[in-house]
Amino acid sequence: MQTSKTRTSFYRRLYVAWLIDSGQATSVPALMAATGMPRRTAQDTLAALEELDIDCRFEQDEGERNNAGHYQIHAWGPIDKRWIAANLQQIKTTLGYP
């Protein structure tokens, strides 16, 4: 069965938010390593989280310069992160992630 672009885009956003919230990948390079997605896709996905009302902000590390820091989820909006955790394998399989 062919998966729609809408579903894969939605799942990609959920998975990226979950990776950030769980602390497994909190930077663009870490997201790239965890998912295999290109830099631009990772950046676009981060920017698109606000379309789902997920409040994700870049936090500058104290005393650091040149955008040294990490992303943090401040609010999930209407998304239930427990659903993501319960369906994580299905999400990863749909996206083709290990």
Side-chain angles (χ1 to χ4, degrees):
M1 179 173 90
Q2 185 76 14
T3 304
S4 72
K5 288 183 179 183
T6 302
R7 180 173 298 210
T8 56
S9 175
F10 181 65
Y11 278 8
R12 186 178 305 108
R13 293 173 191 185
L14 294 180
Y15 187 53
V16 163
W18 183 85
L19 285 170
I20 292 167
D21 195 58
S22 68
Q24 294 184 40
T26 61
S27 66
V28 172
L31 288 169
M32 292 168 55
T35 63
M37 67 176 71
R39 175 175 290 280
R40 187 67 194 170
T41 303
Q43 291 169 328
D44 289 348
T45 303
L46 283 166
L49 292 178
E50 69 179 296
E51 294 175 10
L52 299 178
D53 289 331
I54 296 174
D55 181 7
C56 179
R57 299 181 214 160
F58 184 78
E59 306 286 332
Q60 185 80 22
D61 287 343
E62 195 169 324
E64 295 291 330
R65 300 182 306 174
N66 301 331
N67 293 326
H70 60 278
Y71 286 93
Q72 186 172 353
I73 303 295
H74 288 269
W76 280 89
I79 305 299
D80 182 356
K81 69 179 181 178
R82 294 172 301 177
W83 182 90
I84 300 168
N87 293 279
L88 192 58
Q89 190 55 53
Q90 173 190 342
I91 292 168
K92 289 170 63 173
T93 299
T94 300
L95 295 171
Y97 297 155

